[in-house]
Amino acid sequence: MAKRALITGITGQDGSYLAEHLLALGYEVHGLVRRVALEDPERRFTRIAHLLDRVQLHPASLESYPSIFNLISRQEFDECYHLAAQSFVAESFADGFSTMNTNINGTHYMLAALRDLRPACRFYFAGSSEMFGKVRETPQSETTPFHPRSPYGISKVAGFELTRNYREAYGMFCVGGILFNHEGPRRGFEFVTRKITSTVARIKAGLSTELRLGNLDARRDWGHAKDYVRAMHLMLQQDVPDDFVVASGESHTVREFCELAFSEVGLDYRDYVRVDERFYRPAEVESLVGDATKARTVLGWKPTYTFPELVSEMVQNDLRITLGQTEGLPETVRGAR
Ligand code: NAP
Ligand code: F7E
């Protein structure tokens, strides 16, 4: 019989790639979505429009325990991938309270409902390299201490610890993935990679003349989301639940990302990029690079995309969208920020 998986955050970047991956593996895929999303499918389901006849969507709210309890009581899920979150670090400084509420309570509600109704369901928590924050060692691995630098990072540490506690206290199969930045053509426009590639495309098309960014010297370990969702699935197939770092092991600056993205269309980033203080954060995570040795050896996972391939795919995709837009195609999900 096909395994039945629940994905929270199925409308997001990772949720959409994971749904595709699980469907290809023969899973029955269900998604938790906000009711507003169901009411506005044209705008809210752009990443899963091509999957709508193959997945089952259920309205529920991460802010409401009864709605989650009700959903989990109606279906016998084998695996649950809890990806839904307020995932934009800068927004978490603007509204720390709702980030905490969604990310911490939402995770707690999922775990508590599963414990009551379906304790055998395997649970994946979307932890983040932002938990390392002001890093204590480089590269960062599963044993590196956390020192989060934003409400988002703090919320992810809390979710990660809740997940570990449910594993240790109640013997549930709960795992925390500590994923470093992963991107791709479906990345939200507010994140720096997509902001860069979408603006490069607009500049190339003559629709924009500059790109305003914050800290160009920040370093990130960037991979492709398609590679990273494979690791999530592998984590839930192990004999013993455990936590894993997933990373490329390479770090690059925002400046290097710009350099490659602009050169993809034959331009020099120095002619277009302007530093704008508004995009600096109150506390920055300066440099992240992960050590995914455990994922490579225990899960047999390895990334397939290189950094230049990732940048190139994102720029080429945005060029296609932008040129399409000038011919009257609809605007994509969210505006740049
Ligand atoms: P994303 O594109 O921002 O997607 C977030 C998803 O969460 C969307 O489906 C969104 O639904 C949903 N969501 C947000 N608030 C919600 C709420 N209150 N109730 C119900 N659903 C809500 O994020 P992503 O890049 O796919 O990341 C997936 C997960 O991995 C997140 O937990 C993120 O924090 C974590 N993570 C991401 C990275 C990365 O580099 N991408 C790295 C480490 C960890 P709507 O479409 O309705 O807004
Ligand atoms: O910023 C710098 C910014 O917003 C990357 C999320 O998926 O990965 C993501 O969080 C870096 C930061 O991602 C701009 O200061 C410069 O140093 O793309 P980002 P993030 O904050 O690393 C982690 C692993 C997650 O878990 C999160 O969910 O780029 N930066 N100038 C800028 N960033 C943005 N967004 N916009 C700028 O103009």
Side-chain angles (χ1 to χ4, degrees), residues 178-180 221 228 245-250 289-292 296 301 303:
I178 308 176
L179 271 54
F180 283 63
D221 177 330
Y228 287 42
V245 159
V246 179
S248 77
E250 266 182 40
V289 60
D291 172 0
R296 284 175 182 265
W301 174 85

Side-chain angles (χ1 to χ4, degrees), residues 50-63:
H50 59 300
L51 303 175
L52 287 177
D53 55 348
R54 292 193 287 150
V55 297
Q56 297 179 47
L57 301 180
H58 308 275
S61 165
L62 274 193
E63 285 78 26

Side-chain angles (χ1 to χ4, degrees), residues 248-269:
S248 77
E250 266 182 40
S251 89
H252 299 275
T253 59
V254 172
R255 189 188 306 281
E256 283 171 65
F257 196 105
C258 288
E259 210 172 330
L260 265 187
F262 276 90
S263 70
E264 178 78 17
V265 297
L267 300 175
D268 185 334
Y269 82 98

Side-chain angles (χ1 to χ4, degrees), residues 11 16 40-52 186 330-334:
T11 55
S16 65
D40 188 8
E42 294 218 339
R43 259 168 39 86
R44 301 280 195 149
F45 291 160
T46 50
R47 295 186 181 102
I48 54 166
H50 59 300
L51 303 175
L52 287 177
R186 296 183 195 164
E331 179 100 32
T332 29
V333 240
R334 280 171 278 185

Side-chain angles (χ1 to χ4, degrees), residues 6-9 62 80-85 102-104 106-108 110 123-127 156:
L6 173 64
I7 304 175
T8 73
L62 274 193
C80 173
Y81 297 86
H82 178 43
L83 310 183
T102 302
N103 295 5
I104 302 177
T107 303
H108 203 177
M110 291 298 299
F123 180 83
Y124 172 85
F125 171 70
K156 286 291 177 180

Side-chain angles (χ1 to χ4, degrees), residues 8-15 32-34 36-37 44 47 60-63 82-88 102-103 126-129 152 156 178-183 186-188 190-191 232 334:
T8 73
I10 194 169
T11 55
Q13 172 188 251
D14 292 6
L32 179 159
V33 294
R34 311 190 219 213
V36 286
R44 301 280 195 149
R47 295 186 181 102
S61 165
L62 274 193
E63 285 78 26
H82 178 43
L83 310 183
Q86 193 303 97
S87 72
F88 188 34
T102 302
N103 295 5
S128 164
S129 50
Y152 170 81
K156 286 291 177 180
I178 308 176
L179 271 54
F180 283 63
N181 298 54
H182 44 279
E183 321 290 317
R186 296 183 195 164
R187 188 57 145 151
E190 63 272 45
F191 300 95
M232 296 176 188
R334 280 171 278 185

